[in-house]
PDB file of all heavy atoms in Angstrom:
ATOM      1  N   TYR A1045      -6.575  -8.445  26.955  1.00  0.00           N
ATOM      2  CA  TYR A1045      -7.183  -9.540  27.744  1.00  0.00           C
ATOM      3  C   TYR A1045      -7.576 -10.637  26.758  1.00  0.00           C
ATOM      4  O   TYR A1045      -7.912 -11.767  27.236  1.00  0.00           O
ATOM      5  CB  TYR A1045      -8.075  -9.097  28.928  1.00  0.00           C
ATOM      6  CG  TYR A1045      -9.387  -8.407  28.475  1.00  0.00           C
ATOM      7  CD1 TYR A1045     -10.232  -8.827  27.394  1.00  0.00           C
ATOM      8  CD2 TYR A1045     -10.047  -7.426  29.206  1.00  0.00           C
ATOM      9  CE1 TYR A1045     -11.465  -8.265  27.019  1.00  0.00           C
ATOM     10  CE2 TYR A1045     -11.142  -6.919  29.031  1.00  0.00           C
ATOM     11  CZ  TYR A1045     -11.954  -7.347  27.871  1.00  0.00           C
ATOM     12  OH  TYR A1045     -13.007  -6.772  27.643  1.00  0.00           O
ATOM     13  N   GLY A1046      -7.975 -10.249  25.575  1.00  0.00           N
ATOM     14  CA  GLY A1046      -8.562 -11.264  24.630  1.00  0.00           C
ATOM     15  C   GLY A1046      -7.543 -12.387  24.377  1.00  0.00           C
ATOM     16  O   GLY A1046      -8.010 -13.481  24.032  1.00  0.00           O
ATOM     17  N   GLU A1047      -6.389 -12.102  24.652  1.00  0.00           N
ATOM     18  CA  GLU A1047      -5.354 -13.142  24.185  1.00  0.00           C
ATOM     19  C   GLU A1047      -4.940 -14.032  25.319  1.00  0.00           C
ATOM     20  O   GLU A1047      -4.191 -15.054  25.177  1.00  0.00           O
ATOM     21  CB  GLU A1047      -4.083 -12.493  23.595  1.00  0.00           C
ATOM     22  CG  GLU A1047      -4.146 -12.318  22.039  1.00  0.00           C
ATOM     23  CD  GLU A1047      -4.468 -11.000  21.708  1.00  0.00           C
ATOM     24  OE1 GLU A1047      -3.675 -10.065  22.309  1.00  0.00           O
ATOM     25  OE2 GLU A1047      -5.299 -10.694  20.753  1.00  0.00           O
ATOM     26  N   VAL A1048      -5.340 -13.654  26.550  1.00  0.00           N
ATOM     27  CA  VAL A1048      -4.765 -14.366  27.623  1.00  0.00           C
ATOM     28  C   VAL A1048      -5.046 -15.832  27.684  1.00  0.00           C
ATOM     29  O   VAL A1048      -4.136 -16.627  27.940  1.00  0.00           O
ATOM     30  CB  VAL A1048      -5.061 -13.592  29.051  1.00  0.00           C
ATOM     31  CG1 VAL A1048      -6.547 -13.700  29.234  1.00  0.00           C
ATOM     32  CG2 VAL A1048      -4.328 -14.246  30.137  1.00  0.00           C
ATOM     33  N   GLY A1049      -6.198 -16.231  27.322  1.00  0.00           N
ATOM     34  CA  GLY A1049      -6.642 -17.646  27.537  1.00  0.00           C
ATOM     35  C   GLY A1049      -5.777 -18.421  26.636  1.00  0.00           C
ATOM     36  O   GLY A1049      -5.206 -19.420  27.054  1.00  0.00           O
ATOM     37  N   GLN A1050      -5.628 -18.083  25.360  1.00  0.00           N
ATOM     38  CA  GLN A1050      -4.949 -18.839  24.414  1.00  0.00           C
ATOM     39  C   GLN A1050      -3.418 -18.792  24.804  1.00  0.00           C
ATOM     40  O   GLN A1050      -2.772 -19.862  24.671  1.00  0.00           O
ATOM     41  CB  GLN A1050      -4.821 -17.898  23.157  1.00  0.00           C
ATOM     42  CG  GLN A1050      -6.018 -18.123  22.210  1.00  0.00           C
ATOM     43  CD  GLN A1050      -5.843 -17.329  20.955  1.00  0.00           C
ATOM     44  OE1 GLN A1050      -4.777 -17.309  20.340  1.00  0.00           O
ATOM     45  NE2 GLN A1050      -6.919 -16.529  20.760  1.00  0.00           N
ATOM     46  N   THR A1051      -2.934 -17.693  25.303  1.00  0.00           N
ATOM     47  CA  THR A1051      -1.493 -17.725  25.639  1.00  0.00           C
ATOM     48  C   THR A1051      -1.260 -18.686  26.672  1.00  0.00           C
ATOM     49  O   THR A1051      -0.220 -19.369  26.704  1.00  0.00           O
ATOM     50  CB  THR A1051      -1.164 -16.257  26.084  1.00  0.00           C
ATOM     51  OG1 THR A1051      -1.638 -15.366  25.082  1.00  0.00           O
ATOM     52  CG2 THR A1051       0.342 -16.088  26.323  1.00  0.00           C
ATOM     53  N   VAL A1052      -2.057 -18.737  27.783  1.00  0.00           N
ATOM     54  CA  VAL A1052      -1.848 -19.585  28.869  1.00  0.00           C
ATOM     55  C   VAL A1052      -2.019 -21.037  28.357  1.00  0.00           C
ATOM     56  O   VAL A1052      -1.126 -21.901  28.640  1.00  0.00           O
ATOM     57  CB  VAL A1052      -2.893 -19.364  29.952  1.00  0.00           C
ATOM     58  CG1 VAL A1052      -2.726 -20.378  31.155  1.00  0.00           C
ATOM     59  CG2 VAL A1052      -2.629 -17.986  30.624  1.00  0.00           C
ATOM     60  N   THR A1053      -3.032 -21.366  27.478  1.00  0.00           N
ATOM     61  CA  THR A1053      -3.249 -22.673  27.069  1.00  0.00           C
ATOM     62  C   THR A1053      -1.962 -23.139  26.381  1.00  0.00           C
ATOM     63  O   THR A1053      -1.499 -24.252  26.467  1.00  0.00           O
ATOM     64  CB  THR A1053      -4.418 -22.819  26.203  1.00  0.00           C
ATOM     65  OG1 THR A1053      -5.506 -22.070  26.775  1.00  0.00           O
ATOM     66  CG2 THR A1053      -4.924 -24.174  26.006  1.00  0.00           C
ATOM     67  N   THR A1054      -1.551 -22.247  25.373  1.00  0.00           N
ATOM     68  CA  THR A1054      -0.465 -22.600  24.538  1.00  0.00           C
ATOM     69  C   THR A1054       0.773 -22.882  25.305  1.00  0.00           C
ATOM     70  O   THR A1054       1.450 -23.883  25.218  1.00  0.00           O
ATOM     71  CB  THR A1054      -0.058 -21.416  23.560  1.00  0.00           C
ATOM     72  OG1 THR A1054      -1.284 -20.932  23.023  1.00  0.00           O
ATOM     73  CG2 THR A1054       0.923 -21.753  22.600  1.00  0.00           C
ATOM     74  N   SER A1055       0.996 -22.029  26.336  1.00  0.00           N
ATOM     75  CA  SER A1055       2.333 -22.132  27.079  1.00  0.00           C
ATOM     76  C   SER A1055       2.328 -23.313  27.953  1.00  0.00           C
ATOM     77  O   SER A1055       3.470 -23.807  28.180  1.00  0.00           O
ATOM     78  CB  SER A1055       2.440 -20.772  27.914  1.00  0.00           C
ATOM     79  OG  SER A1055       2.473 -19.691  27.016  1.00  0.00           O
ATOM     80  N   ARG A1056       1.183 -23.659  28.508  1.00  0.00           N
ATOM     81  CA  ARG A1056       1.105 -24.861  29.361  1.00  0.00           C
ATOM     82  C   ARG A1056       1.548 -26.180  28.506  1.00  0.00           C
ATOM     83  O   ARG A1056       1.955 -27.101  29.136  1.00  0.00           O
ATOM     84  CB  ARG A1056      -0.224 -25.032  30.010  1.00  0.00           C
ATOM     85  CG  ARG A1056      -0.423 -23.872  31.014  1.00  0.00           C
ATOM     86  CD  ARG A1056      -1.413 -24.315  32.016  1.00  0.00           C
ATOM     87  NE  ARG A1056      -1.349 -23.302  33.046  1.00  0.00           N
ATOM     88  CZ  ARG A1056      -2.459 -22.781  33.685  1.00  0.00           C
ATOM     89  NH1 ARG A1056      -3.586 -23.500  33.300  1.00  0.00           N
ATOM     90  NH2 ARG A1056      -2.433 -21.852  34.517  1.00  0.00           N
ATOM     91  N   LEU A1057       1.492 -26.121  27.361  1.00  0.00           N
ATOM     92  CA  LEU A1057       1.881 -27.345  26.565  1.00  0.00           C
ATOM     93  C   LEU A1057       3.435 -27.620  26.833  1.00  0.00           C
ATOM     94  O   LEU A1057       3.765 -28.695  26.912  1.00  0.00           O
ATOM     95  CB  LEU A1057       1.723 -27.090  25.093  1.00  0.00           C
ATOM     96  CG  LEU A1057       0.205 -27.031  24.612  1.00  0.00           C
ATOM     97  CD1 LEU A1057       0.188 -26.803  23.119  1.00  0.00           C
ATOM     98  CD2 LEU A1057      -0.420 -28.424  24.885  1.00  0.00           C
TER      99      LEU A1057
END
Side-chain angles (χ1 to χ4, degrees):
Chain A
Y1045 69 34
E1047 268 107 43
V1048 64
Q1050 278 177 50
T1051 306
V1052 173
T1053 319
T1054 310
S1055 303
R1056 287 208 174 136
L1057 290 176

